[in-house]
Amino acid sequence: MLPNPLVQLTNVTFTYPGADRPVLKDINVTIYEGEFTAIIGGNGSGKSTLCKTFNGLIPQFYVGDFEGEVVLNTMKTSEHTVAQLSRNIGYVYQDFENQLVRPTVIDDVSFVPLNYGLADYRQRGEWALNITGLSALRNEFIWQLSGGQMHLLALAGALAMKPKLLIIDEPIAQLDPNHAKQVYDILKKLNNEFGITIIVIEHHTEFIADYCKEVILMDQGELVWKKDVKEALSQVRELLHRNIFPPQVTQAAYALLEKDSQDSLLPIRMDEAIKHFSTYIQRKVPLPPFRPTCMTENREVIRFNHVSLEYRTLKKERKRVLYEVDTSFYQGDLVALVGNNGAGKSSLLKLIAGIVKPSDGQVVVLGKTTREASPEVLSETVSYIYQSPEEMFIDDSIRKDIEYYLRVRKIPDYELIVDKLLVDFNLVDIQHQDGRLLSGGQQRRASLAIGAAMNPAVILLDEPTANLDVATKQQVIQMLGKLQNHVQTVIVATHDMQLVAEWANRIIVMNSGSIISDGSRYDIFGNEDVMRKAGLVPPQILQLSRKLCLEPPCFTIDEFTSRLDTVEAEGVQLELCKGYA
Amino acid sequence: MNYVKDMREKLNIEYVKSELIKTAYGGKETFLASLHPRTLIIWYLFFGIVPWFIHNKIVLSCFLVLMVVLTIMARVSPLIIVILCVGLLGEIGFLLLVSLVFGGGLASLIPMFWLTVKLAVIALASIAVFTSMDPERFSDALLSFGVPGQASFSVSFGYRILPTLVEEFQRVFLSYRLRGKAPETHGIFYWRTASYYLKLLVLSFYPLILNSAKRSRTTVEALETKGFSYSFTNSEVKKMKLAHLTYTYKDPLFLIGTVAYISFAFWLGTFLVDAE
């Protein structure tokens, strides 16, 4: 027996006023009760727009040209208000911090049931806090929460009604791997134990493989298909064509396929992959060239001399964020700063930029002690790129934003420098637009160009790939490559292990305010203890190659596929490593 | 030089932010805070309006004494007191200057002093009341007086986003500094540096406003999905929202006490004037 349909869309087409083409084109789809569905598609493919038709936000809130019919749980959305429809739908936004409207945690989480006049609103709030693990924070003010906690609270707020359907727009975009897993475990529990239907808009296909049951593919306003997760992620060629990247193990399996067996099902999860690849033969290849741990031969650019940092909280307690950090950065270093949320990565960057001064010890940047130099003076050698590009847009077009630094310093012929940067960072066509109105990827490129315009010796980036789809992320990694030609040292704070594995030549691992490890990708990813302690999860292809005993392990899919073969005679049969069984 | 540095460290945006939050949401243990917010608003309606029409110096002085006592009882943040004093002194100085320019003498100082007392009574009354009543209680009190739900909610929401706005303001301000160029010399009395910072303070508001406008789109949409507008169609919801506000014996006590004190002040005022 088929489960009951929960949402049914029939011939839905929607065009924003003034737009020349529809954002949703003739969509027909049914979501059944109990589904756990991922919606995938590039930026601007209509994923969020689609979800906003379910609770009537489109066309009631966003007025436009709407055709077709949406039925939610036997209610036609055209005949009910958004508020009536929302009784059964919880919605967590991508910019979730803007959906927290009450001052304290318990008030915010009970807000929805209170609005619907449910007498047990308090208990419902408590229940939702309990499910999301926030009960201890009940009486906190929301501006004291961390980003991850705010996200969980937004989720709890959407849950308090025990809705039939929960929609989450990019649930793990800004989280470290452990917190990301925690969020998905909660969603899985809600789906299994409470029967809540879940729809996520998600770029991380590895999480889709592990948790979701169905996948909907959107492209330029069209719903291309809805398939079972294994079948969906096995469409490697089609997905890559649309700039969506299936799990690394699936991509590797696809690359090694015989040409005639294109449409078979591929492994999408780690356990499946191990089974799949254990029939392969390892080719004998020369070891990849050894990369030096760090460039100590080179000139020292930044020096941390026993640096500690403390600040005072609202309750006047002292909180230590960095403790006895003692290290140097050299010319040519491409440093990835990794560690869980709150490990002190951002604080380290801010110390170099002179935004905060050390409580103890010294930071010296190219001979200047940051304690004595104002941020304005340090900006001539260091440029700091914020995590959210919007806060870097201080003028009304990105061209003016890029030239601001040069203009106030009256650099001769600065227009020429700006012209070149606009070409380098692929911004020529949009140079006169306001940065706030650009897409995520464009904003990120603009912020990199702003940093490069300062012609710094050191460039610091805080989470440069957060909130980007994979295709845009690849562009940013390319742009980071371009930055290398402009600067001496690049330091990136990130959770993105793929970026770390493919780009960095030096990795520094931080944990509760201290550096716990510092070395090449072989040193760091090879050290299980450090990885576990810092809550790091290596890229999937690296995990796989280690589980298959490939020595040295592979960091990219290309490396992996070039080492395996099906029929090579003089190879070694792959075996599962005992340690991982 | 050291003094300036010291001042700068104390008077940073962090400090202002924490004081604002403390003023808004802190200090819940005081006597005034334990009153029903409706009581406080009714009380405030009297002391916010009536002093404008009182010219009797004795009565005004009595009012001022009451306000000072209540302000101390309300444990108002020193920052707010300093701002108030600077405001009042600045105003008196400015009026004096105007009167001197237009041919008045120092004699004009006396009436100005009494005007300032009047202003101080009203200002202290506002501070004592609004420090003792967090935005949530104030918003609920408005709702209980029959103010539309949207309006009373906007009071509470306005406070809720204040810390977020201050933080964002800090980051935008920093954006200007990280790409800007500070004057090379401070100038006499730091005027170059001061005017550089003042200019940035003003400029930082534009990106802040634009960013907030963009973000508020999500907030408005989210309110709709959270059933906010639905709550106005159901009178039960209002009752539930206000259920936590209760009157205690302290409320009538406070109002009766105040009425008695006011009567005493007026009696004393007329008695002493008659005696003259």
mmCIF file of all heavy atoms in Angstrom, chain A residues 130-162:
data_model
loop_
_atom_site.group_PDB
_atom_site.id
_atom_site.type_symbol
_atom_site.label_atom_id
_atom_site.label_comp_id
_atom_site.label_asym_id
_atom_site.label_seq_id
_atom_site.Cartn_x
_atom_site.Cartn_y
_atom_site.Cartn_z
ATOM 1 N N ASN A 130 14.460 19.447 24.105
ATOM 2 C CA ASN A 130 15.001 18.171 24.518
ATOM 3 C C ASN A 130 15.500 17.368 23.307
ATOM 4 O O ASN A 130 16.608 16.831 23.312
ATOM 5 C CB ASN A 130 13.894 17.409 25.265
ATOM 6 C CG ASN A 130 14.421 16.175 25.939
ATOM 7 O OD1 ASN A 130 15.637 16.072 26.150
ATOM 8 N ND2 ASN A 130 13.549 15.248 26.255
ATOM 9 N N ILE A 131 14.689 17.335 22.252
ATOM 10 C CA ILE A 131 15.054 16.598 21.034
ATOM 11 C C ILE A 131 16.350 17.150 20.430
ATOM 12 O O ILE A 131 17.199 16.410 19.940
ATOM 13 C CB ILE A 131 13.930 16.736 19.985
ATOM 14 C CG1 ILE A 131 12.679 16.012 20.451
ATOM 15 C CG2 ILE A 131 14.389 16.238 18.623
ATOM 16 C CD1 ILE A 131 12.590 14.586 20.041
ATOM 17 N N THR A 132 16.501 18.482 20.457
ATOM 18 C CA THR A 132 17.659 19.099 19.821
ATOM 19 C C THR A 132 18.825 19.265 20.788
ATOM 20 O O THR A 132 19.866 19.817 20.423
ATOM 21 C CB THR A 132 17.293 20.476 19.248
ATOM 22 O OG1 THR A 132 16.577 21.199 20.243
ATOM 23 C CG2 THR A 132 16.421 20.340 18.021
ATOM 24 N N GLY A 133 18.642 18.814 22.027
ATOM 25 C CA GLY A 133 19.742 18.858 22.989
ATOM 26 C C GLY A 133 20.050 20.248 23.511
ATOM 27 O O GLY A 133 21.182 20.542 23.889
ATOM 28 N N LEU A 134 19.048 21.134 23.531
ATOM 29 C CA LEU A 134 19.302 22.512 23.965
ATOM 30 C C LEU A 134 18.730 22.811 25.348
ATOM 31 O O LEU A 134 18.783 23.948 25.799
ATOM 32 C CB LEU A 134 18.682 23.498 22.966
ATOM 33 C CG LEU A 134 19.318 23.604 21.581
ATOM 34 C CD1 LEU A 134 18.514 24.551 20.717
ATOM 35 C CD2 LEU A 134 20.752 24.089 21.682
ATOM 36 N N SER A 135 18.203 21.775 26.023
ATOM 37 C CA SER A 135 17.478 22.044 27.269
ATOM 38 C C SER A 135 18.285 22.869 28.274
ATOM 39 O O SER A 135 17.745 23.728 28.953
ATOM 40 C CB SER A 135 17.060 20.730 27.921
ATOM 41 O OG SER A 135 16.139 20.081 27.092
ATOM 42 N N ALA A 136 19.597 22.632 28.322
ATOM 43 C CA ALA A 136 20.419 23.335 29.316
ATOM 44 C C ALA A 136 20.482 24.834 29.025
ATOM 45 O O ALA A 136 20.792 25.630 29.903
ATOM 46 C CB ALA A 136 21.815 22.744 29.333
ATOM 47 N N LEU A 137 20.185 25.232 27.790
ATOM 48 C CA LEU A 137 20.306 26.647 27.415
ATOM 49 C C LEU A 137 18.979 27.380 27.509
ATOM 50 O O LEU A 137 18.859 28.518 27.070
ATOM 51 C CB LEU A 137 20.837 26.760 25.979
ATOM 52 C CG LEU A 137 22.190 26.111 25.730
ATOM 53 C CD1 LEU A 137 22.514 26.120 24.253
ATOM 54 C CD2 LEU A 137 23.271 26.856 26.494
ATOM 55 N N ARG A 138 17.972 26.709 28.074
ATOM 56 C CA ARG A 138 16.603 27.224 28.136
ATOM 57 C C ARG A 138 16.490 28.726 28.377
ATOM 58 O O ARG A 138 15.788 29.425 27.668
ATOM 59 C CB ARG A 138 15.880 26.467 29.253
ATOM 60 C CG ARG A 138 14.447 26.811 29.467
ATOM 61 C CD ARG A 138 13.896 26.054 30.653
ATOM 62 N NE ARG A 138 13.868 24.620 30.407
ATOM 63 C CZ ARG A 138 14.663 23.747 31.008
ATOM 64 N NH1 ARG A 138 15.552 24.153 31.899
ATOM 65 N NH2 ARG A 138 14.578 22.471 30.734
ATOM 66 N N ASN A 139 17.230 29.227 29.376
ATOM 67 C CA ASN A 139 17.043 30.630 29.754
ATOM 68 C C ASN A 139 18.072 31.592 29.181
ATOM 69 O O ASN A 139 18.127 32.742 29.559
ATOM 70 C CB ASN A 139 17.029 30.743 31.275
ATOM 71 C CG ASN A 139 15.872 29.974 31.867
ATOM 72 O OD1 ASN A 139 14.762 30.018 31.326
ATOM 73 N ND2 ASN A 139 16.124 29.224 32.927
ATOM 74 N N GLU A 140 18.901 31.117 28.269
ATOM 75 C CA GLU A 140 19.917 31.993 27.676
ATOM 76 C C GLU A 140 19.254 32.992 26.725
ATOM 77 O O GLU A 140 18.202 32.726 26.144
ATOM 78 C CB GLU A 140 20.931 31.168 26.880
ATOM 79 C CG GLU A 140 21.807 30.264 27.705
ATOM 80 C CD GLU A 140 22.866 31.033 28.478
ATOM 81 O OE1 GLU A 140 23.500 31.930 27.884
ATOM 82 O OE2 GLU A 140 23.057 30.727 29.661
ATOM 83 N N PHE A 141 19.952 34.140 26.552
ATOM 84 C CA PHE A 141 19.523 35.064 25.503
ATOM 85 C C PHE A 141 20.072 34.566 24.177
ATOM 86 O O PHE A 141 21.185 34.046 24.110
ATOM 87 C CB PHE A 141 20.060 36.461 25.786
ATOM 88 C CG PHE A 141 19.372 37.113 26.941
ATOM 89 C CD1 PHE A 141 20.064 37.459 28.085
ATOM 90 C CD2 PHE A 141 18.012 37.377 26.870
ATOM 91 C CE1 PHE A 141 19.420 38.051 29.159
ATOM 92 C CE2 PHE A 141 17.358 37.974 27.934
ATOM 93 C CZ PHE A 141 18.065 38.306 29.079
ATOM 94 N N ILE A 142 19.305 34.770 23.109
ATOM 95 C CA ILE A 142 19.727 34.126 21.870
ATOM 96 C C ILE A 142 20.996 34.735 21.291
ATOM 97 O O ILE A 142 21.710 34.071 20.568
ATOM 98 C CB ILE A 142 18.610 34.077 20.805
ATOM 99 C CG1 ILE A 142 18.099 35.453 20.511
ATOM 100 C CG2 ILE A 142 17.499 33.179 21.215
ATOM 101 C CD1 ILE A 142 17.121 35.419 19.377
ATOM 102 N N TRP A 143 21.299 36.002 21.623
ATOM 103 C CA TRP A 143 22.522 36.564 21.057
ATOM 104 C C TRP A 143 23.773 36.043 21.756
ATOM 105 O O TRP A 143 24.869 36.362 21.362
ATOM 106 C CB TRP A 143 22.495 38.090 21.069
ATOM 107 C CG TRP A 143 22.127 38.664 22.390
ATOM 108 C CD1 TRP A 143 22.956 38.891 23.436
ATOM 109 C CD2 TRP A 143 20.823 39.078 22.801
ATOM 110 N NE1 TRP A 143 22.250 39.407 24.485
ATOM 111 C CE2 TRP A 143 20.936 39.538 24.126
ATOM 112 C CE3 TRP A 143 19.568 39.099 22.188
ATOM 113 C CZ2 TRP A 143 19.848 40.015 24.838
ATOM 114 C CZ3 TRP A 143 18.486 39.574 22.900
ATOM 115 C CH2 TRP A 143 18.629 40.024 24.208
ATOM 116 N N GLN A 144 23.570 35.237 22.802
ATOM 117 C CA GLN A 144 24.745 34.638 23.437
ATOM 118 C C GLN A 144 25.039 33.250 22.900
ATOM 119 O O GLN A 144 26.009 32.626 23.289
ATOM 120 C CB GLN A 144 24.523 34.572 24.952
ATOM 121 C CG GLN A 144 24.573 35.955 25.579
ATOM 122 C CD GLN A 144 24.078 35.986 26.992
ATOM 123 O OE1 GLN A 144 23.279 35.163 27.407
ATOM 124 N NE2 GLN A 144 24.548 36.953 27.743
ATOM 125 N N LEU A 145 24.198 32.754 22.002
ATOM 126 C CA LEU A 145 24.404 31.413 21.472
ATOM 127 C C LEU A 145 25.450 31.436 20.356
ATOM 128 O O LEU A 145 25.643 32.447 19.700
ATOM 129 C CB LEU A 145 23.094 30.866 20.900
ATOM 130 C CG LEU A 145 21.884 30.816 21.827
ATOM 131 C CD1 LEU A 145 20.702 30.205 21.094
ATOM 132 C CD2 LEU A 145 22.185 30.025 23.072
ATOM 133 N N SER A 146 26.088 30.279 20.130
ATOM 134 C CA SER A 146 26.991 30.159 18.998
ATOM 135 C C SER A 146 26.153 29.906 17.745
ATOM 136 O O SER A 146 24.959 29.632 17.826
ATOM 137 C CB SER A 146 27.929 28.990 19.230
ATOM 138 O OG SER A 146 27.213 27.789 19.157
ATOM 139 N N GLY A 147 26.795 29.999 16.590
ATOM 140 C CA GLY A 147 26.084 29.788 15.333
ATOM 141 C C GLY A 147 25.393 28.432 15.275
ATOM 142 O O GLY A 147 24.232 28.325 14.876
ATOM 143 N N GLY A 148 26.113 27.389 15.731
ATOM 144 C CA GLY A 148 25.546 26.044 15.689
ATOM 145 C C GLY A 148 24.333 25.935 16.600
ATOM 146 O O GLY A 148 23.326 25.312 16.243
ATOM 147 N N GLN A 149 24.413 26.550 17.777
ATOM 148 C CA GLN A 149 23.287 26.507 18.716
ATOM 149 C C GLN A 149 22.087 27.262 18.159
ATOM 150 O O GLN A 149 20.943 26.827 18.307
ATOM 151 C CB GLN A 149 23.703 27.103 20.060
ATOM 152 C CG GLN A 149 24.692 26.224 20.813
ATOM 153 C CD GLN A 149 25.348 26.944 21.972
ATOM 154 O OE1 GLN A 149 25.358 28.185 22.031
ATOM 155 N NE2 GLN A 149 25.899 26.194 22.898
ATOM 156 N N MET A 150 22.368 28.406 17.483
ATOM 157 C CA MET A 150 21.259 29.156 16.883
ATOM 158 C C MET A 150 20.548 28.306 15.844
ATOM 159 O O MET A 150 19.331 28.337 15.719
ATOM 160 C CB MET A 150 21.773 30.415 16.201
ATOM 161 C CG MET A 150 22.109 31.526 17.142
ATOM 162 S SD MET A 150 22.277 33.054 16.210
ATOM 163 C CE MET A 150 23.070 34.074 17.398
ATOM 164 N N HIS A 151 21.345 27.548 15.093
ATOM 165 C CA HIS A 151 20.731 26.719 14.055
ATOM 166 C C HIS A 151 19.843 25.659 14.674
ATOM 167 O O HIS A 151 18.720 25.430 14.229
ATOM 168 C CB HIS A 151 21.817 26.087 13.189
ATOM 169 C CG HIS A 151 21.256 25.406 11.984
ATOM 170 N ND1 HIS A 151 20.965 24.073 11.974
ATOM 171 C CD2 HIS A 151 20.902 25.893 10.780
ATOM 172 C CE1 HIS A 151 20.452 23.767 10.798
ATOM 173 N NE2 HIS A 151 20.399 24.845 10.048
ATOM 174 N N LEU A 152 20.341 25.015 15.744
ATOM 175 C CA LEU A 152 19.530 24.006 16.425
ATOM 176 C C LEU A 152 18.254 24.633 16.990
ATOM 177 O O LEU A 152 17.192 24.013 16.979
ATOM 178 C CB LEU A 152 20.340 23.343 17.540
ATOM 179 C CG LEU A 152 21.406 22.357 17.070
ATOM 180 C CD1 LEU A 152 22.230 21.866 18.246
ATOM 181 C CD2 LEU A 152 20.772 21.175 16.357
ATOM 182 N N LEU A 153 18.370 25.872 17.473
ATOM 183 C CA LEU A 153 17.195 26.538 18.037
ATOM 184 C C LEU A 153 16.164 26.822 16.940
ATOM 185 O O LEU A 153 14.960 26.640 17.147
ATOM 186 C CB LEU A 153 17.608 27.835 18.740
ATOM 187 C CG LEU A 153 16.456 28.655 19.324
ATOM 188 C CD1 LEU A 153 15.651 27.837 20.326
ATOM 189 C CD2 LEU A 153 16.965 29.922 19.981
ATOM 190 N N ALA A 154 16.638 27.256 15.781
ATOM 191 C CA ALA A 154 15.712 27.487 14.668
ATOM 192 C C ALA A 154 14.999 26.180 14.327
ATOM 193 O O ALA A 154 13.792 26.157 14.062
ATOM 194 C CB ALA A 154 16.461 28.024 13.460
ATOM 195 N N LEU A 155 15.745 25.092 14.375
ATOM 196 C CA LEU A 155 15.162 23.774 14.113
ATOM 197 C C LEU A 155 14.141 23.427 15.198
ATOM 198 O O LEU A 155 13.014 23.000 14.903
ATOM 199 C CB LEU A 155 16.285 22.728 14.065
ATOM 200 C CG LEU A 155 15.887 21.276 13.879
ATOM 201 C CD1 LEU A 155 15.172 21.073 12.569
ATOM 202 C CD2 LEU A 155 17.111 20.368 13.937
ATOM 203 N N ALA A 156 14.510 23.647 16.462
ATOM 204 C CA ALA A 156 13.601 23.360 17.572
ATOM 205 C C ALA A 156 12.324 24.182 17.442
ATOM 206 O O ALA A 156 11.217 23.679 17.654
ATOM 207 C CB ALA A 156 14.294 23.656 18.902
ATOM 208 N N GLY A 157 12.470 25.456 17.063
ATOM 209 C CA GLY A 157 11.307 26.328 16.905
ATOM 210 C C GLY A 157 10.357 25.798 15.846
ATOM 211 O O GLY A 157 9.132 25.900 15.968
ATOM 212 N N ALA A 158 10.922 25.224 14.777
ATOM 213 C CA ALA A 158 10.089 24.675 13.713
ATOM 214 C C ALA A 158 9.436 23.362 14.136
ATOM 215 O O ALA A 158 8.429 22.960 13.584
ATOM 216 C CB ALA A 158 10.931 24.472 12.457
ATOM 217 N N LEU A 159 10.032 22.714 15.143
ATOM 218 C CA LEU A 159 9.565 21.396 15.566
ATOM 219 C C LEU A 159 8.453 21.426 16.596
ATOM 220 O O LEU A 159 7.711 20.460 16.735
ATOM 221 C CB LEU A 159 10.720 20.650 16.237
ATOM 222 C CG LEU A 159 11.642 19.853 15.369
ATOM 223 C CD1 LEU A 159 12.696 19.228 16.254
ATOM 224 C CD2 LEU A 159 10.836 18.792 14.664
ATOM 225 N N ALA A 160 8.374 22.551 17.338
ATOM 226 C CA ALA A 160 7.515 22.576 18.518
ATOM 227 C C ALA A 160 6.060 22.252 18.193
ATOM 228 O O ALA A 160 5.317 21.786 19.051
ATOM 229 C CB ALA A 160 7.620 23.933 19.211
ATOM 230 N N MET A 161 5.631 22.481 16.954
ATOM 231 C CA MET A 161 4.258 22.148 16.567
ATOM 232 C C MET A 161 4.121 20.665 16.227
ATOM 233 O O MET A 161 3.043 20.230 15.862
ATOM 234 C CB MET A 161 3.841 22.963 15.343
ATOM 235 C CG MET A 161 3.561 24.421 15.614
ATOM 236 S SD MET A 161 2.149 24.672 16.688
ATOM 237 C CE MET A 161 0.793 24.230 15.606
ATOM 238 N N LYS A 162 5.197 19.908 16.314
ATOM 239 C CA LYS A 162 5.224 18.544 15.786
ATOM 240 C C LYS A 162 4.605 18.505 14.388
ATOM 241 O O LYS A 162 3.552 17.888 14.163
ATOM 242 C CB LYS A 162 4.475 17.572 16.715
ATOM 243 C CG LYS A 162 5.122 17.513 18.078
ATOM 244 C CD LYS A 162 4.587 16.369 18.921
ATOM 245 C CE LYS A 162 5.225 16.448 20.303
ATOM 246 N NZ LYS A 162 4.539 15.699 21.331
#
